[in-house]
Amino acid sequence: VQFPVRDNQPVKKGDLLFEVDPSTYKAAADQCAAKLQQAQAAQIQAQQELQRQTALYQTKVTDLRDLQNAQDSLAAATANVAAAAADLELARLNLSYTKIFAPVDGYLTNVNTSPGTYVYAGQQLLALVDISSFWIAAYFKETQIHHVKDGGKAKITFIGRENEPFEGVVDSTAWGIFDENGSTVELLPKVGQTVDWVRLPNRFPVRVRVT
C-alpha cells in the first residue's frame, strides 16, 4: 500500500522501505485485545468467587470441594489470561511486520515493485547494499597462500588505476573451495580455473577489509 523508495536510492537506517496492507493484521490484533479483556474479566470473577468460597468455608457453610473448585477455576482463568496475552503479543508483532524499515545505511538496488503489488511472506522485493559492508576478495594460488596472514597489511590497486593504490588489512582466508571433481558441499566458494585443460594450482579467496 506504500512504496516511497526508488531504484538505486541511498537510504538511512530506519527509513521506511515499504508497507504491506495492515488492515487484516490490525483486525486480528483488535480481536486478540478483546479476548484478553474477556479473559481478564473472567479472572476477576474467579478471584471474587474464590474469596466468597473461602469466607464460606471458614464459617463452615460450604465444604472443601466448593473451595477447591473455586481455586481450580481461578487457576484456569489465570492461564487463559496468559494465553490471551501471548496471542495479543503475537498479533501486534505480526502487525509491526507490515512496515519494513532499512536495517542499515546503504543503497537500494533491483527495486521492481510498486504499490498494489501482491506479495507473499518470504518473497524478496529488493536488495539493500550495506554501505559499511564493502570488502575485497583476492584470489591467491595455493602455492602462495602461506605468505598471507590474518591482520597483514595489503596494498590494493584496480586495473587501470595502478597509480592510485589504497590500503587494506587481511581479514581472513577461506579454509576450503569447491572442487568439481570431488566436492559434495556446494556452500564452499567456487573458484574457476583459468585454463581447463592444464592442471593449475587452486586459488583460495582472501578477504581484505579496506582501511
Short mmCIF file of all heavy atoms in Angstrom, two decimals, residues 71-104:
data_model
loop_
_atom_site.label_atom_id
_atom_site.label_comp_id
_atom_site.label_asym_id
_atom_site.label_seq_id
_atom_site.Cartn_x
_atom_site.Cartn_y
_atom_site.Cartn_z
N GLN A 71 -10.75 -22.57 43.57
CA GLN A 71 -9.31 -22.42 43.35
C GLN A 71 -8.91 -22.88 41.95
O GLN A 71 -8.11 -22.23 41.27
CB GLN A 71 -8.54 -23.20 44.42
CG GLN A 71 -8.67 -22.62 45.82
CD GLN A 71 -8.04 -23.52 46.88
OE1 GLN A 71 -7.92 -24.74 46.67
NE2 GLN A 71 -7.69 -22.94 48.01
N ASP A 72 -9.49 -24.00 41.53
CA ASP A 72 -9.19 -24.51 40.18
C ASP A 72 -9.69 -23.56 39.10
O ASP A 72 -9.02 -23.35 38.08
CB ASP A 72 -9.83 -25.88 40.00
CG ASP A 72 -9.22 -26.93 40.92
OD1 ASP A 72 -8.10 -26.70 41.41
OD2 ASP A 72 -9.87 -27.97 41.15
N SER A 73 -10.86 -22.97 39.32
CA SER A 73 -11.42 -22.03 38.35
C SER A 73 -10.53 -20.79 38.21
O SER A 73 -10.32 -20.29 37.10
CB SER A 73 -12.83 -21.61 38.76
OG SER A 73 -13.71 -22.74 38.76
N LEU A 74 -9.99 -20.32 39.33
CA LEU A 74 -9.10 -19.16 39.29
C LEU A 74 -7.80 -19.51 38.55
O LEU A 74 -7.30 -18.71 37.74
CB LEU A 74 -8.78 -18.67 40.69
CG LEU A 74 -7.80 -17.49 40.77
CD1 LEU A 74 -8.31 -16.29 39.99
CD2 LEU A 74 -7.52 -17.11 42.22
N ALA A 75 -7.26 -20.70 38.80
CA ALA A 75 -6.04 -21.11 38.11
C ALA A 75 -6.27 -21.20 36.60
O ALA A 75 -5.42 -20.76 35.80
CB ALA A 75 -5.56 -22.46 38.66
N ALA A 76 -7.41 -21.75 36.19
CA ALA A 76 -7.73 -21.86 34.77
C ALA A 76 -7.91 -20.47 34.16
O ALA A 76 -7.45 -20.21 33.04
CB ALA A 76 -8.98 -22.70 34.56
N ALA A 77 -8.58 -19.57 34.89
CA ALA A 77 -8.79 -18.21 34.38
C ALA A 77 -7.46 -17.47 34.24
O ALA A 77 -7.25 -16.72 33.28
CB ALA A 77 -9.72 -17.45 35.31
N THR A 78 -6.55 -17.68 35.18
CA THR A 78 -5.23 -17.05 35.10
C THR A 78 -4.46 -17.56 33.89
O THR A 78 -3.78 -16.79 33.19
CB THR A 78 -4.45 -17.32 36.39
OG1 THR A 78 -5.18 -16.81 37.51
CG2 THR A 78 -3.08 -16.65 36.35
N ALA A 79 -4.56 -18.86 33.62
CA ALA A 79 -3.89 -19.43 32.45
C ALA A 79 -4.48 -18.87 31.17
O ALA A 79 -3.75 -18.60 30.20
CB ALA A 79 -4.00 -20.95 32.47
N ASN A 80 -5.80 -18.69 31.14
CA ASN A 80 -6.45 -18.12 29.95
C ASN A 80 -5.98 -16.69 29.70
O ASN A 80 -5.82 -16.28 28.54
CB ASN A 80 -7.97 -18.16 30.10
CG ASN A 80 -8.53 -19.57 30.02
OD1 ASN A 80 -7.90 -20.46 29.43
ND2 ASN A 80 -9.69 -19.79 30.62
N VAL A 81 -5.76 -15.94 30.76
CA VAL A 81 -5.24 -14.57 30.61
C VAL A 81 -3.84 -14.59 29.99
O VAL A 81 -3.52 -13.81 29.09
CB VAL A 81 -5.24 -13.84 31.96
CG1 VAL A 81 -4.46 -12.53 31.88
CG2 VAL A 81 -6.65 -13.56 32.42
N ALA A 82 -3.00 -15.51 30.49
CA ALA A 82 -1.65 -15.61 29.95
C ALA A 82 -1.67 -16.00 28.48
O ALA A 82 -0.91 -15.44 27.66
CB ALA A 82 -0.84 -16.62 30.76
N ALA A 83 -2.53 -16.93 28.11
CA ALA A 83 -2.63 -17.36 26.71
C ALA A 83 -3.14 -16.22 25.82
O ALA A 83 -2.62 -16.00 24.72
CB ALA A 83 -3.53 -18.57 26.59
N ALA A 84 -4.14 -15.49 26.31
CA ALA A 84 -4.69 -14.37 25.53
C ALA A 84 -3.66 -13.26 25.38
O ALA A 84 -3.56 -12.63 24.32
CB ALA A 84 -5.95 -13.84 26.19
N ALA A 85 -2.87 -13.02 26.42
CA ALA A 85 -1.81 -12.00 26.33
C ALA A 85 -0.75 -12.40 25.32
O ALA A 85 -0.24 -11.55 24.57
CB ALA A 85 -1.19 -11.78 27.71
N ALA A 86 -0.42 -13.69 25.27
CA ALA A 86 0.56 -14.17 24.29
C ALA A 86 0.02 -14.03 22.87
O ALA A 86 0.76 -13.64 21.95
CB ALA A 86 0.93 -15.62 24.59
N ASP A 87 -1.25 -14.33 22.67
CA ASP A 87 -1.86 -14.18 21.35
C ASP A 87 -1.84 -12.72 20.91
O ASP A 87 -1.59 -12.41 19.74
CB ASP A 87 -3.30 -14.70 21.37
CG ASP A 87 -3.36 -16.22 21.48
OD1 ASP A 87 -2.34 -16.88 21.19
OD2 ASP A 87 -4.43 -16.73 21.88
N LEU A 88 -2.12 -11.81 21.85
CA LEU A 88 -2.11 -10.38 21.52
C LEU A 88 -0.70 -9.92 21.17
O LEU A 88 -0.51 -9.14 20.23
CB LEU A 88 -2.65 -9.58 22.70
CG LEU A 88 -2.63 -8.05 22.53
CD1 LEU A 88 -3.44 -7.64 21.30
CD2 LEU A 88 -3.16 -7.36 23.78
N GLU A 89 0.28 -10.41 21.91
CA GLU A 89 1.67 -10.04 21.61
C GLU A 89 2.07 -10.50 20.21
O GLU A 89 2.72 -9.76 19.46
CB GLU A 89 2.60 -10.64 22.65
CG GLU A 89 4.07 -10.28 22.46
CD GLU A 89 4.97 -10.89 23.51
OE1 GLU A 89 4.47 -11.61 24.40
OE2 GLU A 89 6.20 -10.65 23.44
N LEU A 90 1.67 -11.73 19.85
CA LEU A 90 1.97 -12.25 18.52
C LEU A 90 1.26 -11.44 17.44
O LEU A 90 1.85 -11.13 16.39
CB LEU A 90 1.57 -13.72 18.43
CG LEU A 90 1.78 -14.40 17.07
CD1 LEU A 90 3.25 -14.35 16.68
CD2 LEU A 90 1.27 -15.83 17.11
N ALA A 91 0.00 -11.08 17.68
CA ALA A 91 -0.76 -10.30 16.70
C ALA A 91 -0.14 -8.93 16.49
O ALA A 91 -0.05 -8.43 15.36
CB ALA A 91 -2.21 -10.17 17.14
N ARG A 92 0.31 -8.31 17.59
CA ARG A 92 0.95 -7.00 17.47
C ARG A 92 2.31 -7.11 16.77
O ARG A 92 2.71 -6.21 16.03
CB ARG A 92 1.12 -6.37 18.85
CG ARG A 92 -0.21 -5.87 19.45
CD ARG A 92 -0.02 -5.37 20.87
NE ARG A 92 -1.26 -4.76 21.38
CZ ARG A 92 -1.45 -4.39 22.65
NH1 ARG A 92 -0.47 -4.57 23.54
NH2 ARG A 92 -2.59 -3.84 23.02
N LEU A 93 2.99 -8.22 16.99
CA LEU A 93 4.26 -8.45 16.31
C LEU A 93 4.04 -8.59 14.81
O LEU A 93 4.77 -8.00 14.00
CB LEU A 93 4.93 -9.71 16.87
CG LEU A 93 6.35 -10.00 16.39
CD1 LEU A 93 7.30 -8.90 16.80
CD2 LEU A 93 6.82 -11.34 16.96
N ASN A 94 3.01 -9.36 14.42
CA ASN A 94 2.69 -9.51 13.01
C ASN A 94 2.30 -8.17 12.40
O ASN A 94 2.64 -7.87 11.24
CB ASN A 94 1.56 -10.53 12.82
CG ASN A 94 2.02 -11.95 13.09
OD1 ASN A 94 3.19 -12.27 12.92
ND2 ASN A 94 1.10 -12.79 13.52
N LEU A 95 1.58 -7.35 13.16
CA LEU A 95 1.19 -6.02 12.67
C LEU A 95 2.42 -5.15 12.44
O LEU A 95 2.49 -4.40 11.47
CB LEU A 95 0.24 -5.36 13.67
CG LEU A 95 -0.22 -3.95 13.33
CD1 LEU A 95 -0.96 -3.92 12.00
CD2 LEU A 95 -1.10 -3.39 14.45
N SER A 96 3.41 -5.27 13.32
CA SER A 96 4.62 -4.46 13.17
C SER A 96 5.41 -4.86 11.93
O SER A 96 6.16 -4.05 11.38
CB SER A 96 5.50 -4.59 14.42
OG SER A 96 6.10 -5.88 14.49
N TYR A 97 5.25 -6.10 11.49
CA TYR A 97 5.97 -6.56 10.31
C TYR A 97 5.41 -5.99 9.02
O TYR A 97 6.02 -6.18 7.96
CB TYR A 97 5.93 -8.09 10.23
CG TYR A 97 6.74 -8.80 11.29
CD1 TYR A 97 6.42 -10.10 11.68
CD2 TYR A 97 7.83 -8.18 11.90
CE1 TYR A 97 7.17 -10.76 12.65
CE2 TYR A 97 8.57 -8.83 12.87
CZ TYR A 97 8.23 -10.11 13.23
OH TYR A 97 8.96 -10.76 14.19
N THR A 98 4.28 -5.31 9.06
CA THR A 98 3.71 -4.75 7.83
C THR A 98 4.49 -3.53 7.35
O THR A 98 4.34 -3.12 6.20
CB THR A 98 2.23 -4.36 8.04
OG1 THR A 98 2.14 -3.39 9.09
CG2 THR A 98 1.41 -5.59 8.41
N LYS A 99 5.29 -2.94 8.23
CA LYS A 99 6.16 -1.83 7.83
C LYS A 99 7.60 -2.32 7.86
O LYS A 99 8.07 -2.80 8.89
CB LYS A 99 5.98 -0.63 8.75
CG LYS A 99 4.68 0.13 8.53
CD LYS A 99 4.64 1.41 9.35
CE LYS A 99 3.38 2.21 9.06
NZ LYS A 99 3.36 3.48 9.84
N ILE A 100 8.27 -2.19 6.73
CA ILE A 100 9.64 -2.66 6.61
C ILE A 100 10.57 -1.45 6.55
O ILE A 100 10.42 -0.58 5.69
CB ILE A 100 9.83 -3.52 5.35
CG1 ILE A 100 8.78 -4.64 5.31
CG2 ILE A 100 11.23 -4.09 5.30
CD1 ILE A 100 8.82 -5.56 6.50
N PHE A 101 11.51 -1.40 7.50
CA PHE A 101 12.44 -0.28 7.59
C PHE A 101 13.85 -0.76 7.23
O PHE A 101 14.19 -1.93 7.40
CB PHE A 101 12.44 0.30 9.00
CG PHE A 101 11.10 0.82 9.44
CD1 PHE A 101 10.23 0.01 10.17
CD2 PHE A 101 10.69 2.10 9.12
CE1 PHE A 101 9.00 0.46 10.58
CE2 PHE A 101 9.44 2.57 9.52
CZ PHE A 101 8.60 1.76 10.26
N ALA A 102 14.65 0.17 6.76
CA ALA A 102 16.04 -0.15 6.41
C ALA A 102 16.80 -0.49 7.69
O ALA A 102 16.84 0.31 8.62
CB ALA A 102 16.69 1.03 5.71
N PRO A 103 17.42 -1.67 7.76
CA PRO A 103 18.16 -2.05 8.96
C PRO A 103 19.53 -1.40 9.06
O PRO A 103 20.12 -1.35 10.15
CB PRO A 103 18.29 -3.58 8.83
CG PRO A 103 18.28 -3.82 7.36
CD PRO A 103 17.39 -2.77 6.76
N VAL A 104 20.05 -0.89 7.93
CA VAL A 104 21.38 -0.29 7.90
C VAL A 104 21.38 0.84 6.89
O VAL A 104 20.47 0.97 6.07
CB VAL A 104 22.48 -1.32 7.52
CG1 VAL A 104 22.64 -2.38 8.59
CG2 VAL A 104 22.17 -1.96 6.17
#
